[in-house]
Amino acid sequence: MAERQPLKSNLFNMAAVLVIVCALSALTLAYVHKKTEAPIKAVKDNLELRAITEIIPEGFDNNPFAEKTYITTSDHKRLTMYPVRRDGKITALVIKSYTDKGFGGRMEIMVGIMLDGRISGYKLIDHKETPGLGTKVADEAFAGQFRGINPDRTDLRVKKDGGDIDAVTAATISSRAVIDAIRRAYDAYTTFSAGI
């Protein structure tokens, strides 16, 4: 019986093996993505719905997700807006906003705005800020100072920049980022409220 010769290493054989490995990897990734897409979306939706219930203390009796719409800011950025209703009337808007100015990059927040322009609160839903420092922008000590303010009557800058907001100690960049995201949400709110 003749001894089997090993496959010769040449450019064609190496390329063929590489193509097969890449194709199998792509198929595996596509399968995993398809299987996890719906559960991941459900978790994100649940996180956003919980954020809405936390930042609208008066509660609501509609399904904000069923009524969500998109709104464009003055700088042509598209944000998601959730109308919050009680007894069929809109009482507040929750706007999913973002900023790319965080210390760790992009931050996403949900901002509640009452119809009179007062901020009811905000909730961080995605960020990469430094644990124990930048993450303190989610704490009540920082977040609480936005509750009830109207950005038209408050200087939405940190005190270090001449504004009215106390920054988180050692996390001024994260504090400025939250303010940027709130401003973007409020800009979307004023664009929307001017049309109603």
Side-chain angles (χ1 to χ4, degrees), residues 15-115:
V17 169
L18 185 61
V19 166
I20 290 169
V21 168
C22 289
L24 289 174
S25 298
L27 286 172
T28 303
L29 285 173
Y31 175 78
V32 169
H33 175 73
K34 190 70 173 162
K35 283 292 191 187
T36 59
E37 188 175 25
I40 289 171
K41 184 180 181 329
V43 167
K44 284 183 176 181
D45 287 351
N46 189 38
L47 180 65
E48 290 178 14
L49 187 58
R50 276 198 344 250
I52 292 171
T53 59
E54 287 179 33
I55 60 181
I56 303 294
E58 297 81 18
F60 50 91
D61 56 16
N62 69 320
N63 178 354
F65 275 85
E67 298 184 48
K68 80 177 174 181
T69 186
Y70 300 96
I71 188 164
T72 305
T73 62
S74 61
D75 61 348
H76 309 292
K77 305 295 183 190
R78 190 173 126 165
L79 303 179
T80 306
M81 181 178 67
Y82 303 93
V84 176
R85 297 179 187 270
R86 286 194 73 159
D87 301 322
K89 295 180 182 172
I90 294 178
T91 58
L93 302 172
V94 176
I95 298 171
K96 183 178 175 183
S97 186
Y98 71 94
T99 181
D100 290 321
K101 296 181 179 181
F103 186 77
R106 179 165 282 222
M107 295 169 73
E108 292 182 354
I109 69 173
M110 303 283 281
V111 182
I113 305 174
M114 306 308 287
L115 290 187

Side-chain angles (χ1 to χ4, degrees), residues 122-140:
Y122 75 85
K123 180 89 175 161
L124 253 72
I125 56 171
D126 191 25
H127 65 88
K128 295 173 185 68
E129 299 305 284
T130 307
L133 285 176
T135 55
K136 288 186 177 182
V137 295
D139 293 350
E140 180 61 23

Side-chain angles (χ1 to χ4, degrees), residues 119-167:
I119 294 174
S120 65
Y122 75 85
K123 180 89 175 161
L124 253 72
I125 56 171
D126 191 25
H127 65 88
K128 295 173 185 68
E129 299 305 284
T130 307
L133 285 176
T135 55
K136 288 186 177 182
V137 295
D139 293 350
E140 180 61 23
F142 179 74
Q145 61 188 320
F146 292 91
R147 203 167 297 113
I149 66 168
N150 186 317
D152 285 338
R153 297 191 266 292
T154 305
D155 189 347
L156 271 187
R157 293 182 296 161
V158 294
K159 287 186 177 175
K160 186 184 240 185
D161 298 336
D164 296 330
I165 305 299
D166 288 317

